Amino acid sequence: MVEHDVLSATREAYDTAAPTYAQLFRGELRDRPLDRAILGAFAEVVSASGDGQVADLGCGPGHITAYLDELGLAVFGVDASPAMIELARQAYPGLRFDVGSMAAVNIADGVLGGVLSRWSIIHTPPQEIPVILAEFHRVLAPGGHLLIGFSASDDPSHPTQVFDHTVAPAYRWSPDHLAAMLCESGLAEVARMVRQPQPTDRRQFQEIHLLARKA
C-alpha cells in the first residue's frame, strides 16, 4: 500500500508538472555533449548486437526517445504519467508512446535490444529497486544493453541519499552500490560516465550513466 501510494503521488505530481517539464527539458541535449556521447555509444552497441527494439522507460515528454530515433534505433517510450505521454504523442506523432510501469513492462521476455532508464528510477523507494532491475533483465534479450542514469550520493558508504526534488521526493545512489545491484540482477557493467556538476547547475550533484549488458 505504501509503495502504491508513492507511485500514485509521483504520477499525479508529474501529470501536474508535465507542461512545464516538457518546456524546460525538451532542448536539454543541446548543451550536453557528454550526454549525447553516451547516448550515441548506447545506440552503437545496441545496433551492433542486433535489430531489437529499445524501450525508453520513464520517457517523460519523449524528447530523448526522439533523439534515439534520430540515432537509428527502433525505439518506443513508456511513462507512468498519462499527461507526459499525451505531450510526447503530440510532439512526436511518428513514434510510439505507452502509459505503463517500469515494474511491469507490457512486453514479452527477452525481446528488447536495449533499455534506457534516464533518471527514471530516482523516485522509486530503494527497497523496490531490485524489482525494477529484474524487470529490465526480463525484457532484455541476451546481449542486450541497459543505460541507466541517476544522480550520485555524496558519501559512497551510504547506498542512497534522499534529496528534495522539485516534483516528488527522490533518491541519489552510490554508483558502486547500484552497479553491484545490476550485477546481482544479471546485468554486468560495461562502462560508466561520471559528469561533474557545472557551476550553473541548480543541484551540485555528480551525474552518473551506467552501461550494462545482459549475458
Side-chain angles (χ1 to χ4, degrees):
M1 180 65 70
V2 172
E3 286 111 5
H4 177 74
D5 290 345
V6 169
L7 290 173
S8 296
T10 301
R11 180 176 60 248
E12 291 170 6
Y14 271 100
D15 279 345
T16 300
T20 301
Y21 188 98
Q23 184 176 11
L24 286 174
F25 290 99
R26 186 161 287 150
E28 67 170 318
L29 291 179
R30 282 195 303 266
D31 300 321
R32 288 178 168 254
L34 294 179
D35 286 31
R36 295 197 304 271
I38 193 67
L39 289 168
F42 171 68
E44 285 195 36
V45 296
V46 170
S47 297
S49 298
D51 298 323
Q53 283 190 309
V54 173
D56 180 4
L57 300 181
C59 66
H63 55 297
I64 303 298
T65 317
Y67 185 74
L68 293 179
D69 175 69
E70 292 175 5
L71 294 177
L73 295 179
V75 62
F76 64 96
V78 177
D79 201 277
S81 164
M84 287 288 195
I85 291 297
E86 182 59 29
L87 288 173
R89 289 170 176 169
Q90 291 173 8
Y92 311 104
L95 297 179
R96 170 187 161 193
F97 294 98
D98 300 327
V99 177
S101 167
M102 290 188 299
V105 184
N106 186 23
I107 196 165
D109 295 357
V111 299
L112 295 181
V115 168
L116 176 67
S117 171
R118 183 179 166 88
W119 274 262
S120 56
I121 65 163
I122 64 171
H123 301 296
T124 302
Q127 66 271 19
E128 290 299 300
I129 288 294
V131 174
I132 302 293
L133 300 184
E135 186 69 352
F136 293 166
H137 181 273
R138 181 187 72 80
V139 298
L140 280 170
H145 286 81
L146 166 71
L147 180 62
I148 186 167
F150 56 96
S151 296
S153 58
D154 295 325
D155 185 349
S157 67
H158 293 283
T160 63
Q161 185 174 353
V162 178
F163 72 97
D164 185 17
H165 190 275
T166 304
V167 179
Y171 302 87
R172 295 190 276 157
W173 282 84
S174 158
D176 288 342
H177 183 78
L178 193 54
M181 293 181 72
L182 287 171
C183 187
E184 291 171 2
S185 299
L187 298 164
E189 181 181 353
V190 174
R192 72 175 66 180
M193 185 183 81
V194 180
R195 179 183 179 273
Q196 298 297 334
Q198 302 302 303
T200 55
D201 289 347
R202 185 166 66 87
R203 294 191 182 93
Q204 294 295 296
F205 303 156
Q206 284 185 339
E207 294 184 354
I208 310 296
H209 288 84
L210 292 178
L211 181 65
R213 182 181 182 273
K214 178 176 175 178

